[in-house]
Amino acid sequence: MVIGIRARPGRPAATAQGDAELIRRSLAEPEAFTGLYDRHAPAIHRYVARRLGPDAADDLMAETFLIAFRKRRRYDLARADARPWLYGIATRLVARHRKAETARYLLLERLGGETAAEPVDSEARVAAQALRGPLARALAGLPEVYREPLLLVAWADLTYEEVAAALEIPVGTVRSRLSRGRARLRAALGGADPTKEDVDG
């Protein structure tokens, strides 16, 4: 697997339209918020697990939705799709664990070889296959300012506009950081481009 920056299939319209309505309803009926959790928790969990590992994913996913629930009155109901908001919360939580994330990439670099020194769980094995040695090392060395938008596009499947909303930065800044992040990854990988479908990390 590569860090794919690829065209996204359209999202189901009912899902996107339903997020703001669920949040609006939850202001009077707090239990309505569980619909938002049911809809997006698995994806948030996968995103955090890829960045910090399965042990941290349960706690950070739960914390993401706890924060979202507490801040739901501030949510802009004009935004039909809550994914950028939720990924923004999750990304800020991940940022508190920078050292753990870098250590995870370095571990995945070692596990990404043909054999592992010790047995690893299936989720770690899948992540190791997705982040082969050089790519994991390159991600470990990538400054957070470039890593965040790159992984939100690649792993959370957000558009540039959604990344801008998640990180609360202008779309132009997202484009610039993605361009620089890709360039740094290419340099670290000896010219290979991990954002292309046909390049194996």
Side-chain angles (χ1 to χ4, degrees):
M1 180 180 152
V2 295
I3 297 188
I5 309 292
R6 56 184 72 110
R8 287 159 193 80
R11 292 189 196 107
T15 298
Q17 292 170 356
D19 290 350
E21 176 60 18
L22 285 171
I23 293 169
R24 186 196 64 74
R25 281 181 41 216
S26 78
L27 298 177
E29 307 165 31
E31 62 277 5
F33 199 82
T34 60
L36 193 74
Y37 177 91
D38 292 342
R39 184 176 289 166
H40 297 295
I44 295 292
H45 188 278
R46 281 191 301 274
Y47 174 71
V48 176
R50 290 181 91 171
R51 296 196 62 178
L52 295 177
D55 292 341
D58 289 342
D59 290 342
L60 265 66
M61 182 267 294
E63 192 173 351
T64 295
F65 282 91
L66 181 60
I67 291 170
F69 181 79
R70 288 177 179 161
K71 294 187 174 184
R72 71 193 190 283
R73 292 188 184 280
R74 294 189 228 163
Y75 183 76
D76 180 0
L77 294 173
R79 294 180 179 267
D81 187 353
R83 289 177 347 118
W85 179 55
L86 294 170
Y87 277 109
I89 294 169
T91 298
R92 285 186 283 282
L93 290 173
V94 168
R96 296 180 190 171
H97 301 272
R98 270 181 230 128
K99 289 181 182 177
E101 183 179 20
T102 299
R104 175 168 171 76
Y105 292 139
L106 294 174
L107 172 64
L108 290 174
E109 175 193 2
R110 291 193 300 275
L111 294 176
E114 291 302 317
T115 59
E118 57 191 52
V120 293
D121 63 36
S122 60
E123 193 162 347
R125 191 174 305 282
V126 169
Q129 291 169 352
L131 288 174
R132 303 230 195 281
L135 179 54
R137 184 173 55 250
L139 281 175
L142 193 65
E144 183 182 355
V145 70
Y146 303 127
R147 187 190 305 161
E148 300 293 9
L150 187 66
L151 296 182
L152 282 168
V153 170
W155 288 350
D157 201 30
L158 298 186
T159 64
Y160 291 5
E161 292 76 14
E162 290 170 335
V163 172
L167 298 179
E168 299 177 352
I169 58 177
V171 174
T173 303
V174 171
R175 293 182 192 283
S176 172
R177 290 180 183 177
L178 282 169
S179 176
R180 291 177 183 175
R182 289 180 185 132
R184 285 180 178 233
L185 282 180
R186 279 194 300 272
L189 296 170
D193 188 348
T195 67
K196 301 295 185 192
E197 297 261 8
D198 58 349
V199 176
D200 191 0

